Amino acid sequence: MKKPSSKKPPKTPMHAIKPPLARQVRIIGGVWKRTPLAVLDSEGLRPTPDRVRETLFNWLTHLLDGNWGTVRCLDLFAGTGALGFEAASRGALEVTMIEHNTPAARQLEAAKAKLDASQVRILRSDAVTWLSKANIEAGADSARFDLIFLDPPYQQGWLEKILPLCQDLLADQGLLYLESEFALQEDDLPPWLDGWQLLRADKAGMVFYHLLKRQDHSA
């Protein structure tokens, strides 16, 4: 019977061990198509999946008739900037990103510099605090946003706090994107969505995403 070899298997050279790949998402359309954006390992940071962004921006391009050049965007809870930079890549006139997490805000600044995205403004602030101040300062429609992205951390009650503050900052024909851990139904909207109309809704995995506009009470 052959004795087992006492030789130890050769060690793998350190330079041959590949480090784990950094998490990233990619811009899926426009002038920066396929450009990667880094994803920090931070609690609550959950970038919108590619499949969801592709569907969302198909909706938006259709509803905007492809006229991105006049669109002013507000990206609350910007995180990786996947939504805001996607809008800028497609030609949005202005994109304001709000992010409270300092490392995430720094990452956004780095991505802005990398892309030379002069139409993007990054502000480190709590979303509720910033919205409250912006509502006080808002005046004419020219100071309002045509598109608001709202993708807060789950299970923290952010939607109930944020939605009422968004109404007065959205232009008359403006659109609001909302991502959540639960589905919204047109015939059974929660009280904190009073004054809003659900235009589109879909699901990808455990992500429920929706497109809304303010109800028209002029009729």
Side-chain angles (χ1 to χ4, degrees), residues 113-190:
K114 171 185 174 182
L115 297 168
D116 192 22
S118 59
Q119 72 273 57
V120 174
R121 179 175 62 147
I122 298 163
L123 302 174
R124 195 184 76 79
S125 177
D126 169 80
V128 171
T129 300
W130 187 86
L131 283 169
S132 299
K133 182 178 179 182
N135 272 299
I136 293 173
E137 296 175 349
D141 284 350
S142 60
R144 296 180 179 175
F145 295 95
D146 306 291
L147 175 60
I148 296 177
F149 296 117
L150 179 54
D151 179 18
Y154 291 167
Q155 309 292 344
Q156 295 183 27
W158 282 110
L159 296 178
E160 296 92 321
K161 301 173 189 175
I162 295 291
L163 261 296
L165 297 173
C166 287
Q167 285 221 14
D168 290 337
L169 283 183
L170 196 63
D172 289 340
Q173 301 302 315
L175 300 168
L176 182 140
Y177 169 73
L178 183 156
E179 195 170 312
S180 63
E181 69 273 31
F182 50 83
L184 299 174
Q185 305 293 336
E186 178 65 44
D187 57 352
D188 189 25
L189 294 178

Side-chain angles (χ1 to χ4, degrees), residues 192-213:
W192 45 265
L193 272 174
D194 286 347
W196 294 93
Q197 178 184 347
L198 183 63
L199 298 177
R200 302 276 195 282
D202 208 339
K203 175 188 177 185
M206 298 303 293
V207 176
F208 296 89
Y209 55 107
H210 318 79
L211 198 61
L212 303 99
K213 72 172 184 177

